């Protein structure tokens, strides 16, 4: 099988779609059914970049743990973000990029093109597209207007154009089928994987890294993601404030993540809780430190409003810590019975279950065991195998 993979999303620091594209790009060439693979971005053939985080994987974890995201990002990524907020430039890019990519791909006589970031161009090749979630449709107020307009132009066309649409979960698969009126056979879910750096660690292995952040193993709750309304951080903070003061001081809430879209009110709530002494906000944290922060927490909290998959849930389970997450969209599917589920809009419910998850040792032991078993099923090798099977099926639909 000859494959062309778009790598537009691979920009440091890797997260979300960028991580997904990177794992495919580095693992697919090793699969026995892939005869050749080429990478494309912005209508040009590209080589797979050697990311700084990969090149420095052997450095000590104590070096620059809190480098700012602006430093980590490439100039290209920063320009892309800035231009994407300018309507005329965003519109021009949305028109130019499909045309340039089509011309490029049509120079090939056969093969499969995979767009891992919602988009496939018009081409004679077999097209496979991944749609990670439908938040643009479900919760448009979470996104800049230019992104909404661009994505609502591209997504329906890509859904109809592709021979097969991939999603990260069965929950998203059902949404995609309904939203774009697709035959169920045209949409397939392939679950994501967990990086091998996430695993349970002894307290002695955690001390050095956690000390850099003023933390001790087992003495904090953790949340990891971009600080934005979609993640329901305001309700998480409100629910945590309702815990007894002794509980909040014993296990403070630690938030990790860069500033996202429309996050001003959330940061105001963060500042108020910090002033009260029971919340720590670490901002963006170097990728090398995250596995230690996960493995060292007493409870991982993730009561998001909506997720296409919810990779932090899987990362926390693989790290051997109990998880609290929401009872909606893909999150129960990812947790598969290993996490305690909450109503994301019900602050009282979140508070009650936070206290239960922090204090009930019987449940905690069961949650850790079940989480490790579930996480063992969520591997990038399984994701790649399912993706190659999807390519094979898509070729048969031509």
């Amino acid at each position: 099988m000859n494959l062309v993979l778009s790598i537009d999303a691979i920009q440091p620091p890797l997260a979300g779609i960028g991580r997904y594209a990177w794992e495919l790009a580095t693992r697919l060439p090793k699969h026995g059914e892939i005869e050749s693979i080429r990478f494309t971005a912005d209508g040009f053939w590209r080589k797979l970049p050697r990311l700084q985080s990969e090149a420095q994987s052997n450095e000590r974890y104590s070096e620059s743990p809190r480098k700012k995201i602006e430093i980590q990002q490439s100039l290209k990524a920063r320009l892309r973000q800035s231009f994407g907020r300018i309507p005329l430039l965003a519109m021009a890019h949305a028109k130019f990029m499909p045309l340039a990519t089509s011309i490029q791909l049509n120079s090939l006589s056969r093969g499969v093109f995979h767009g891992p970031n919602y988009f496939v161009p018009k081409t004679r090749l077999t097209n496979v597209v991944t749609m990670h979630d439908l938040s643009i449709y479900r919760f448009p107020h979470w996104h800049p207007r230019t992104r909404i307009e661009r994505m609502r132009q591209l997504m329906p066309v890509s859904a109809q154009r592709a021979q097969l649409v991939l999603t990260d979960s069965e929950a998203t698969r059902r949404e995609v089928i309904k939203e774009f009126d697709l035959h169920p056979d045209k949409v397939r879910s392939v679950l994501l994987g967990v990086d091998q750096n996430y695993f349970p660690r002894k307290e002695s292995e955690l001390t050095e890294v956690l000390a850099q952040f003023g933390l001790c193993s087992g003495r904090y709750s953790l949340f990891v993601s971009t600080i934005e309304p979609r993640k329901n951080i305001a309700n998480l903070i409100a629910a945590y404030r309702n815990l007894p003061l002794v509980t909040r001081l014993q296990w403070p809430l630690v938030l990790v993540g860069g500033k996202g879209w429309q996050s001003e009110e959330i940061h105001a709530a963060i500042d108020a809780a910090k002033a009260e002494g029971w919340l720590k906000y670490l901002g963006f944290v170097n990728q090398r430190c995250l596995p230690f922060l996960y493995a060292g927490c007493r409870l991982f909290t993730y009561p998001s409003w909506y997720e296409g998959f919810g990779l932090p849930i899987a990362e926390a389970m693989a790290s051997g810590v109990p998880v609290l997450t929401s009872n909606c969209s893909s999150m129960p599917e990812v947790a598969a019975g290993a996490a305690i589920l909450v109503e994301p809009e019900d602050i009282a419910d979140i508070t009650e279950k936070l206290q239960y998850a922090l204090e009930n040792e019987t449940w905690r032991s069961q949650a850790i065991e079940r989480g490790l078993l579930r996480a063992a099923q969520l591997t990038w090798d399984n994701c790649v195998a399912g993706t190659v099977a999807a390519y094979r099926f898509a070729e048969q639909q031509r």
Side-chain angles (χ1 to χ4, degrees), residues 309-329:
F309 183 80
L311 194 53
I313 298 168
E315 292 169 342
M317 292 190 299
S319 301
V321 296
V323 174
L324 176 148
T325 191
S326 297
N327 63 0
C328 55
S329 67

Side-chain angles (χ1 to χ4, degrees), residues 11 124 159 182 352:
Q11 303 289 341
R124 67 167 64 100
L182 301 177
E352 177 184 346

Side-chain angles (χ1 to χ4, degrees), residues 79-291:
L79 289 174
R80 186 193 296 265
Q81 280 187 354
S82 299
F83 291 166
R85 297 189 178 101
I86 303 173
L88 287 178
L89 290 176
M91 186 181 304
H93 181 267
K95 290 184 177 180
F96 168 76
M97 193 267 286
L99 177 60
T101 305
S102 293
I103 294 172
Q104 176 195 41
L105 295 178
N106 285 333
S107 67
L108 304 177
S109 59
R110 63 188 179 91
V112 175
F113 172 77
H114 182 186
N117 191 14
Y118 296 94
F119 166 74
V120 289
K122 185 177 182 180
T123 172
R124 67 167 64 100
L125 303 184
T126 299
N127 266 331
V128 175
V129 65
T130 302
M131 295 191 174
H132 300 277
D133 64 61
L134 293 188
S135 61
I136 288 288
Y137 290 87
R138 297 291 173 267
F139 303 96
H141 55 282
W142 290 340
H143 300 275
R145 182 174 59 85
T146 53
R147 183 187 302 163
I148 295 170
E149 293 173 353
R150 182 174 71 253
M151 296 299 286
R152 287 192 175 184
Q153 287 178 349
L154 293 177
M155 289 176 68
V157 175
S158 292
Q160 297 299 327
R161 183 180 284 158
Q163 276 69 51
L164 187 66
V165 179
L166 298 182
T167 65
D168 301 337
S169 63
E170 185 62 26
T172 305
R173 175 179 175 269
R174 292 192 294 267
E175 287 187 287
V176 168
I177 290 170
K178 182 177 180 180
E179 182 66 42
F180 301 116
D181 193 24
L182 301 177
H183 192 282
D185 290 345
K186 189 176 178 176
V187 188
R188 179 177 296 197
S189 64
V190 178
L191 299 179
L192 305 185
V194 182
D195 189 278
Q196 62 186 4
N197 288 323
Y198 293 93
F199 56 86
R201 299 172 190 263
K202 297 179 182 179
E203 184 174 347
S204 59
E205 299 174 298
L206 300 172
T207 302
E208 181 181 0
V209 174
L210 296 187
Q212 299 172 65
F213 302 100
L215 301 174
C216 296
S217 179
R219 302 293 295 179
Y220 60 94
S221 297
L222 181 67
F223 168 90
V224 177
S225 193
T226 304
I227 306 302
E228 59 186 5
R230 168 174 166 174
K231 304 303 179 179
N232 201 24
I233 303 165
N235 278 0
L236 172 61
I237 293 173
Y240 222 89
R241 177 175 278 107
N242 289 340
L243 291 170
L245 179 59
V246 65
T247 303
R248 284 177 277 155
L249 295 177
Q250 184 175 7
W251 298 301
L253 178 61
V254 175
L255 305 181
V256 173
K259 185 175 181 179
W261 174 251
Q262 292 184 338
S263 62
E264 289 77 13
E265 291 185 8
I266 301 172
H267 280 281
I270 289 172
D271 291 340
K274 284 170 57 180
E276 295 169 13
W278 52 267
L279 184 147
K280 292 188 176 184
Y281 175 50
L282 305 185
F284 173 78
V285 168
N286 192 295
Q287 188 72 29
R288 300 191 302 275
C289 295
L290 283 179

Side-chain angles (χ1 to χ4, degrees), residues 292-312:
F292 293 83
L293 289 169
Y294 272 101
C297 73
R298 183 167 179 85
L299 175 68
F300 184 75
T301 63
Y302 202 74
S304 176
W305 289 111
Y306 176 85
E307 295 291 327
F309 183 80
L311 194 53

